[in-house]
């Protein structure tokens, strides 16, 4: 998984650290935009700075959400793959047991349908 995505003890993606990071990044963008807006005299430039700050904050938030969603999809895919491997292993073991039970050395049990 990427540096952005942190997992907990069970391997599931954890949302707390990325949320904290995004919150800090968004507050940094807001503080810089506020500082720049305070020192500007033109309302048009202040509006442009505020719009850029809002768009930048939204971009940061959506990037973090995208990474987190991708991490959850990858986690779910790995869990599904593990489950499929386990089912295949169990089927193979059952098949082996059935084949060992129907060896020619052992007497075959007849069912009512065969008679």
């Amino acid at each position: 998984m990427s540096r952005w995505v942190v997992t907990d003890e069970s391997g599931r993606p954890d949302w707390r650290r990325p949320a904290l990071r995004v919150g800090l990044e968004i507050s940094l963008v807001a503080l810089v935009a506020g500082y720049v807006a305070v020192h500007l005299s033109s309302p048009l430039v202040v509006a442009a700075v505020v719009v850029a700050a809002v768009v930048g904050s939204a971009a940061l938030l959506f990037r973090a959400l995208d990474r987190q969603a991708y991490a959850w999809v990858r986690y779910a895919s790995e869990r599904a793959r593990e489950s499929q491997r386990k089912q295949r292993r169990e089927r193979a073991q059952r098949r082996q047991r059935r084949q060992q039970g129907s060896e020619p050395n052992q007497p075959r049990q007849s069912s009512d349908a065969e008679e």
Side-chain angles (χ1 to χ4, degrees), residues 13-83:
D14 189 21
W15 59 271
R16 290 178 200 101
R17 281 194 198 166
L20 181 64
R21 181 178 175 163
V22 169
L24 290 173
E25 288 175 350
I26 288 174
S27 60
L28 180 64
V29 168
L31 286 172
V32 168
Y35 179 77
V36 170
V38 167
H39 293 295
L40 293 175
S41 59
S42 171
L44 186 61
V45 177
V46 170
V49 167
V50 169
V51 167
V54 169
V55 169
S57 298
L60 286 171
L61 180 63
F62 283 121
R63 183 180 72 173
L65 286 174
D66 180 55
R67 288 177 186 234
Q68 196 69 15
Y70 184 68
W72 275 102
V73 167
R74 193 172 346 156
Y75 170 74
S77 297
E78 288 172 5
R79 293 279 305 223
R81 250 186 257 123
E82 288 173 13
S83 175

